[in-house]
Amino acid sequence: MNATSAEQASAPVTEDALRSVLLAGERPSRPGPVLTSLTFGWRALLKIKHLPEQLVDVTMFPIMFTLMFTYLFGGALAGSTQEYLQFLLPGILVQANVMITMNTGITLNTDIEKGVFDRFRSLPVWRPSPLVGALLGDLVRYSIGSAIVISLGLVLGFRPEGGAVGVVLSVVLLLLFSFCLSWLWTMLSLILRTPNSVAGVSMMVMFPLTFVSNIFVDPKTMPGWMQAVIEVNPITHLATVVRGLMHGSVPAGEIGWVLVSSVLLVAVFGPITMILYRNKK
Amino acid sequence: MGTFAIETRGLKKSFGKTHAVAGVDLAVSAGGVYGVLGPNGAGKTTTIRMLATLLHPDAGEARVLGYDVVRDAQAVRSRVGLTGQFASVDEDLTGVENLLLLARLLGYSRRRGRERATDLLDAFGLAEAADRQVKKYSGGMRRRIDIAASLVVTPELIFLDEPTTGLDPRSRNQVWEIVRGMVAEGTTVLLTTQYLDEADQLADRIAVIDHGKVIAEGSSGELKASVGAGSLHVRLRAPEQRAEAEQVLAGVLEVRAEPSADPAALSARISDPERVARSLAELSRDGIDVTEFALGQPSLDEVFLTLTGHAAKETPEEDAA
Ligand SMILES: Nc1ncnc2c1ncn2[C@@H]1O[C@H](COP(=O)(O)OP(=O)(O)O)[C@@H](O)[C@H]1O
Ligand SMILES: [Mg+2]
C-alpha cells in the first residue's frame, strides 16, 4: 500500500463542511427487501468489475475440463470425440455452475473476517438482504460461466438438438439450482473460521458430488452400489435434465426432482444460515 | 429510564470460558462524548457490539435511545451509527461506491444518494480519493471513510470503536476534530480507546473498564481526584543521583518515589502538598541539584495504574499504512 502519496492527496477536514453535511442529512423512508437485496446485488457486480481476475476460475476451469475430457477420454468413452462432446458438454455446464457456487461462501467468509459484515448487520434493512444480494450477484457469474462453456462447445462441434429454447431453459434451471445450492455454502461460511477452510471443505464436498454422478460417464457400466449412490445424487438428476433439454427431450419427472431438491436446499439451509447469521459472534 | 442515551444493567457476555463482559452498568447522557477506556481485551468491542445489536447479551439489559437492544433491535439500528474497530467498508470498492451503497440501503434515491456521498467525501477531505479503491487509502483516510460511512443518515448516536488506534498523530487529530464536530451538531458519541490522553482530551465522562467490568466512572477530573492530590515531578542535573533523591523524597513525603522513563527524572504521589516545599529543600541540602520540578494533577495513567494494578498502553504506535 502506498500511503504517502495517497495522504498528500487528501485535504484536511473543515469544520464548516462537516457541520453542513451533518445538518443536511435527511431521513429517507426505509426501502423494502427487494430493493435492498438488489442493492447488495449491485455491490456483487461492482466486485466483479474491480476484481475481474475472480472470473478466471469461472472461465478457465470449465474450459480446461471440456478440452481435457473431450480429447483425452472422448474416443475411449464414446467411440469418437464428437459423440462424447454431445454427452459431456451439458454435464460440464452443470459442474462449472456448481463449482462457481462455492465462491459465494468464500466471499461471505471474507466479509465476516474483515469486519464489513458488522456494518451491514447494523443497518436497519431486511436481514437476509446482504446474503440474497450476494447470491443474486452470483447469478451473473453463473451466466458468464455458462455462456463461455456453451460458446466453447459450439466451436468444438457441440450441436444441441433442443435448439436455443432448450439451451436457455436448461440454463435457467441451472441458475435456479445454483442459487439454492449456494445456501449450503453460506451456512458453511458462517460456521468455519477462515476463507481458506471454507474453500477446503467446499472442495471436499464438491469433488465427490460432481464426479460421483453421470456428468462424465454413463453409470451403466458401474457396480450396482455405485449406481445407487449416483442415483440419489441431485447433481445426477440435474445433469440428466440439462442434457435432456439441450437435446430436445423434456424429462418431466427429472425436472420435478430438480425443483424439489432446489426447494429442499433452500428450505433446509436457508433458515439455518439465517439463524447462524443472526447469532454470529 | 428514559433520560439517558445509553443505559445498561448487569450486561454480560461470555465466549466459552472467557467472560468478555462480566456485568457492565453504564449510564450515558445524551450529547457529548462518553469514553470507554480500557486495555486490549478489556471487553470494549464486545460491549459496543451488544449495544449496536450485533450480539445478544447473555444476561442483563441495555437500552439505547430508550429502545431495548434485543426487543427493539430494528429501532436501535435505524438511529445509531457504528464504526467498528476493523474494516467497516468494502475495501474492494471505491470511496464513493461504498457511500452510495449505504445511501441506497438507507433509502436515498440514486441521485440524492450520489449527492450525499459526494458531500460526505468533500467534508471528510476525501474528494480526491472518491474514485479510488478503499484498499489503496492510507490509515487516516480509511478511518475517515469508516466514520463517514456511519453518517450517511445523520445518527442520533454514534459508536466509534478505537477510532484512532494505529493512526499517526496528524490523522489522529483529524479524527478528534471530526468527533468534536459531531458533538457540536448534537450527536452523542460513545468511543472506546486504549489511550489515556485521548479519553482525557475528548470525553466528558469516562468509564474505565478492565476484565469486562467497569472499575471506575466519572469525568476525568473526578477520576484523577479519586487517586489523590496529585504528584510531584522532579528532574535532576545528575542522573546518577537519582537513587539518592528517591531516598530523600520517600523520607519526606512518606510515599515511594518512582523513577520515570527519563533517566534523570522521578515522580512521587503526594498526599499532603505542604510537604512538597520541604522535600525540595531537603534535596538541595543534600547537594542534589534540581533543574526542573512540577506539581501536577495525577495523570489518567496514574489513575489507571492505581485502579487496575497494571499500566495501560501509553502512546499510540505510529503506523499510517
Ligand atoms: N468472537 C469471540 N470469540 C471468542 N472470544 C472473543 C470473541 N470476541 C472477543 N473475545 C474475547 O473476549 C475478550 C474481550 O474482547 P474485546 O471485547 O474484543 O476486548 P477489547 O475490544 O476491549 O480489546 C478477549 O479476551 C477476547 O479474546
Ligand atoms: Mg476491541
Side-chain angles (χ1 to χ4, degrees):
Chain A
M1 258 182 267
N2 187 346
T4 35
S5 66
E7 188 67 74
Q8 277 154 7
S10 75
V13 185
T14 69
E15 206 174 304
D16 285 346
L18 187 63
R19 170 164 309 150
S20 69
V21 84
L22 283 169
L23 285 176
E26 40 191 293
R27 219 160 266 282
S29 60
R30 210 180 292 159
V34 175
L35 185 55
T36 53
S37 300
L38 288 174
T39 306
F40 279 110
W42 174 65
R43 167 183 180 242
L45 296 189
L46 286 175
K47 288 206 135 166
I48 298 180
K49 183 182 100 185
H50 287 297
L51 306 166
E53 63 273 18
Q54 276 191 2
L55 282 177
V56 169
D57 54 338
V58 169
T59 51
M60 290 316 291
F61 208 62
I63 291 177
M64 229 170 62
F65 266 55
T66 309
L67 294 175
M68 257 169 45
F69 273 80
T70 306
Y71 294 108
L72 282 175
F73 308 131
L77 291 175
S80 81
T81 52
Q82 279 310 303
E83 217 161 297
Y84 184 58
L85 185 64
Q86 310 308 317
F87 174 85
L88 174 73
L89 199 101
I92 289 280
L93 195 61
V94 170
Q95 194 200 28
N97 274 277
V98 166
M99 291 267 176
I100 301 168
T101 60
M102 292 188 334
N103 170 68
T104 311
I106 297 166
T107 310
L108 173 60
N109 198 273
T110 311
D111 278 353
I112 294 170
E113 206 195 23
K114 292 235 167 109
V116 193
F117 245 61
D118 269 2
R119 161 90 60 199
F120 295 154
R121 291 200 313 146
S122 74
L123 294 174
V125 297
W126 183 57
R127 293 221 107 185
S129 47
L131 301 177
V132 175
L135 298 185
L136 290 177
D138 280 341
L139 289 180
V140 173
R141 268 174 219 274
Y142 308 146
S143 308
I144 294 173
S146 300
I148 288 170
V149 172
I150 293 168
S151 313
L152 175 69
L154 292 174
V155 169
L156 296 181
F158 175 62
R159 294 294 171 262
E161 293 148 38
V165 176
V167 171
V168 169
L169 274 181
S170 60
V171 170
V172 169
L173 261 180
L174 252 176
L175 295 190
L176 173 77
F177 181 86
S178 306
F179 177 85
C180 298
L181 178 65
S182 297
W183 291 94
L184 170 62
W185 312 127
T186 55
M187 179 192 77
L188 267 182
S189 70
L190 287 163
I191 296 172
L192 299 171
R193 265 180 197 284
T194 64
N196 272 342
S197 55
V198 174
V201 172
S202 306
M203 276 307 202
M204 258 159 51
V205 177
M206 220 59 253
F207 266 96
L209 210 58
T210 52
F211 277 89
V212 185
S213 74
N214 61 352
I215 285 185
F216 298 101
V217 281
D218 191 324
K220 262 186 288 199
T221 58
M222 299 175 195
W225 61 268
M226 186 55 122
Q227 286 191 30
V229 174
I230 288 178
E231 186 53 33
V232 297
N233 182 352
I235 302 293
T236 303
H237 298 281
L238 183 62
T240 306
V241 168
V242 172
R243 209 166 265 151
L245 286 173
M246 286 199 160
H247 289 303
S249 66
V250 184
E254 296 286 314
I255 292 180
W257 241 104
V258 169
L259 293 178
V260 168
S261 46
S262 300
V263 170
L264 275 180
L265 283 167
V266 175
V268 174
F269 297 118
I272 299 180
T273 300
M274 283 321 299
I275 290 169
L276 290 170
Y277 177 68
R278 228 187 311 269
N279 299 327
K280 182 76 192 168
K281 303 212 160 126
Chain B
M1 292 224 177
T3 53
F4 291 107
I6 300 173
E7 192 165 21
T8 74
R9 274 204 210 119
L11 206 57
K12 285 188 184 157
K13 183 76 197 179
S14 302
F15 300 107
K17 288 200 182 68
T18 313
H19 300 294
V21 175
V24 161
D25 300 307
L26 290 176
V28 178
S29 312
V33 180
Y34 192 90
V36 173
L37 170 67
N40 225 338
K44 303 182 295 296
T45 298
T46 308
T47 304
I48 281 204
R49 299 187 67 211
M50 285 191 279
L51 295 177
T53 77
L54 298 178
L55 267 184
H56 277 263
D58 292 342
E61 57 173 330
R63 288 180 157 264
V64 173
L65 301 170
Y67 297 96
D68 187 281
V69 295
V70 178
R71 282 191 302 275
D72 298 320
Q74 204 68 322
V76 174
R77 280 181 214 131
S78 59
R79 285 170 179 79
V80 306
L82 167 70
T83 303
Q85 184 172 358
F86 304 106
S88 74
V89 297
D90 190 330
E91 297 185 318
D92 295 324
L93 306 191
T94 65
V96 71
E97 284 167 349
N98 266 297
L99 297 185
L100 183 55
L101 174 71
L102 291 166
R104 294 289 285 150
L105 291 171
L106 292 167
Y108 280 88
S109 70
R110 205 181 303 263
R111 190 178 59 81
R112 281 293 302 129
R114 198 166 278 282
E115 284 166 14
R116 181 73 180 155
T118 310
D119 290 347
L120 279 165
L121 289 165
D122 286 346
F124 280 75
L126 294 168
E128 306 252 343
D131 294 317
R132 218 177 307 147
Q133 280 178 289
V134 171
K135 65 177 158 210
K136 305 203 173 108
Y137 283 20
S138 70
M141 293 163 77
R142 284 214 50 150
R143 235 31 209 147
R144 278 180 276 146
I145 188 93
D146 280 338
I147 297 175
S150 304
L151 303 178
V152 172
V153 166
T154 308
E156 291 170 49
L157 170 79
I158 183 168
F159 296 109
L160 300 176
D161 195 3
E162 299 200 19
T164 65
T165 301
L167 294 190
D168 60 280
R170 188 171 145 248
S171 308
R172 202 163 162 234
N173 276 324
Q174 288 185 330
V175 171
W176 287 4
E177 284 312 309
I178 292 168
V179 170
R180 292 188 180 117
M182 289 192 290
V183 171
E185 292 316 314
T187 302
T188 306
V189 179
L190 182 131
L191 74 80
T192 71
T193 180
Q194 301 186 32
Y195 308 135
L196 304 156
D197 62 324
E198 181 160 277
D200 208 357
Q201 298 248 5
L202 280 182
D204 304 300
R205 290 188 79 78
I206 299 166
V208 183
I209 102 167
D210 196 31
H211 299 298
K213 285 210 167 85
V214 176
I215 54 174
E217 206 269 349
S219 66
S220 89
E222 284 166 4
L223 290 179
K224 288 171 182 172
S226 72
V227 178
S231 48
L232 172 67
H233 304 274
V234 176
R235 193 157 190 282
L236 310 175
R237 185 177 308 283
E240 57 279 9
Q241 289 183 313
R242 187 159 77 166
E244 199 185 332
E246 251 181 82
Q247 298 271 325
V248 174
L249 289 180
V252 183
L253 299 170
E254 292 173 2
V255 289
R256 266 235 330 269
E258 306 276 350
S260 310
D262 177 346
L266 69 170
S267 63
R269 209 84 43 78
I270 44 177
S271 47
D272 179 4
E274 305 277 300
R275 297 188 189 189
V276 171
R278 242 178 60 209
S279 65
L280 291 173
E282 195 75 20
L283 285 175
S284 99
R285 237 193 24 218
D286 291 3
I288 302 171
D289 280 348
V290 173
T291 55
E292 286 167 32
F293 73 90
L295 198 52
Q297 269 214 315
S299 67
L300 267 175
D301 235 331
E302 291 165 288
V303 174
F304 202 87
L305 194 62
T306 318
L307 291 169
T308 64
H310 59 85
K313 215 169 143 186
E314 282 168 24
T315 42
E317 63 271 44
E318 297 187 5
D319 166 21

